[in-house]
Amino acid sequence: MRIAQRPSPNHGDRRGQVPSLVVIHYTAMNSAEDAICRLCATEHQVSAHYVIGREGDVSQLVAEDRRAWHAGAGRWGRITDVNSHSIGIELDNNGTSPFPDAQMRALDDLLRGIRARWNISKENVIGHSDLAPGRKSDPGPLFDWGRLARQGHALWVPEGEAQVADFRSAARNAGWTADASDAVLLDAIRLRHRPEARGLPLDARDMFILRWLGDATARRGPEDILGTYERQARHFDAKRSRGGMEDGWLTKFAGLLPDGPILDLGCGAGAPIAEWFAARGRGVTGVDGAAAMLALAAQRMPEQDWIQADMRGLALNRQFAGLIAWNSFFHLTPHDQAAMFPIFAAHLSPGGPLMFTCGPAAGETWGQVGGEDVYHASLSPDAYRDLLDRHGFEVVDFVVEDPDCNRHSVCLARKCQDSSRATSMV
């Protein structure tokens, strides 16, 4: 993106800190030029790193590695010197007008670069009103936080309610640690998450928002996986390795295939797994819950069959020559993984191979896609072996942290010809 340089003298050393927050403001002035002039005037002792105009024009006033003077008094979480820890972005807006599409698109592009350069998580993209409740209200109730969340730059709280209790403790755990009354804190929280409810008494929805935001496990959990890949489809596809690390396992899997198409669960954008089979003349039915991923897959291989569905409730009422769940099945909770084995058996022809990746041991962990946290879980290898046996599979090969496959743990099994061995999960 094009960025005009409008250097401001109002900045200083970061006092040994690096940026870990992005703070979004509005200028509350008549034009971007008026705001820039003020932010560059020594007598005002204020500045910001960037100003974005209504037409999407971006000006940089302070280098990102310098401490701009934009936040003022305030606090977020444990951070009391917000200026030393943050990058400030001013949006040209008078506080009563919608934010134009061109401006929001420029903000998306700018945030993508800033967050990549400094490894800033989406939960640390906040509003000025978050760190200075009562004193500041920007970017205000008209700012589209939902759009920012869909672009992967902010948190969006799912539906839910929780018991109303210990509001201040819940607010503190969620990040609102500035010195303010309960009423002022509640208004700041609603400015960010429920502007339509401002002025109403504290309720169960407010408490759910705070408890969800304060619980890292919940907000980074498996129920956010599909939303994450929906937002990050193009980023993930661009970064997905196509170096052939899977080729050895795919060749083993292909050697066990009877005639017929492959079912690829969690197929993503179709590369490289579905592409590998399609290039060898196999039909592929790909299933994924993220529509943006499937759109990329359909562009690549329009002749194949692409289905948007959650694998946990899959019921296609047909069987396939082989079933693969490469780097997808492990996004489910341990409970949901165990419940997948009847689904595997129902969709696989007798004698057909099943292959999936998992972790090296039982447990849960988090990775990242495009700066967003993504959940992973695994059962133990012995638990997988037991589930396979109970559902009519025999293990062909199971390698934990295969050094020839970038330390992936891979299980290859085959459905027994006599499927009467299979039992149902209780």
Side-chain angles (χ1 to χ4, degrees), residues 242-261:
R242 291 163 172 80
M245 68 174 182
E246 307 95 341
D247 285 1
W249 283 99
L250 297 177
T251 300
K252 287 182 186 180
F253 179 90
L256 300 174
L257 285 169
D259 292 336

Side-chain angles (χ1 to χ4, degrees), residues 174-320:
W176 282 275
T177 53
D179 186 16
S181 69
D182 285 2
V184 169
L185 280 178
L186 178 59
D187 190 58
I189 292 159
R190 285 178 167 171
L191 264 174
R192 170 70 175 78
H193 292 283
R194 291 182 76 196
E196 73 284 355
R198 294 178 71 195
L200 297 177
L202 174 72
D203 63 21
R205 176 60 183 160
D206 298 311
M207 292 307 302
F208 179 87
I209 289 169
L210 293 175
R211 298 203 184 284
W212 188 88
L213 290 170
D215 184 349
T217 301
R219 72 169 178 267
R220 297 187 302 169
E223 295 309 317
D224 192 38
I225 290 296
L226 296 182
T228 300
Y229 280 104
E230 187 72 35
R231 294 185 294 270
Q232 298 293 336
R234 291 193 178 278
H235 174 88
F236 175 82
D237 184 52
K239 297 292 185 181
R240 175 66 164 94
S241 170
R242 291 163 172 80
M245 68 174 182
E246 307 95 341
D247 285 1
W249 283 99
L250 297 177
T251 300
K252 287 182 186 180
F253 179 90
L256 300 174
L257 285 169
D259 292 336
I262 309 297
L263 179 60
D264 184 0
L265 292 184
C267 63
I273 303 300
E275 274 189 338
W276 193 94
F277 290 106
R280 288 156 179 80
R282 286 280 179 174
V284 177
T285 293
V287 173
D288 202 282
M293 284 290 205
L294 288 174
L296 293 173
Q299 289 173 13
R300 281 199 176 96
M301 293 166 280
E303 73 282 1
Q304 305 297 342
D305 187 18
W306 307 106
I307 299 172
Q308 184 180 1
D310 187 327
M311 69 171 75
R312 292 171 295 184
L314 196 67
L316 299 181
N317 299 316
R318 51 192 166 113
Q319 293 186 324
F320 295 82

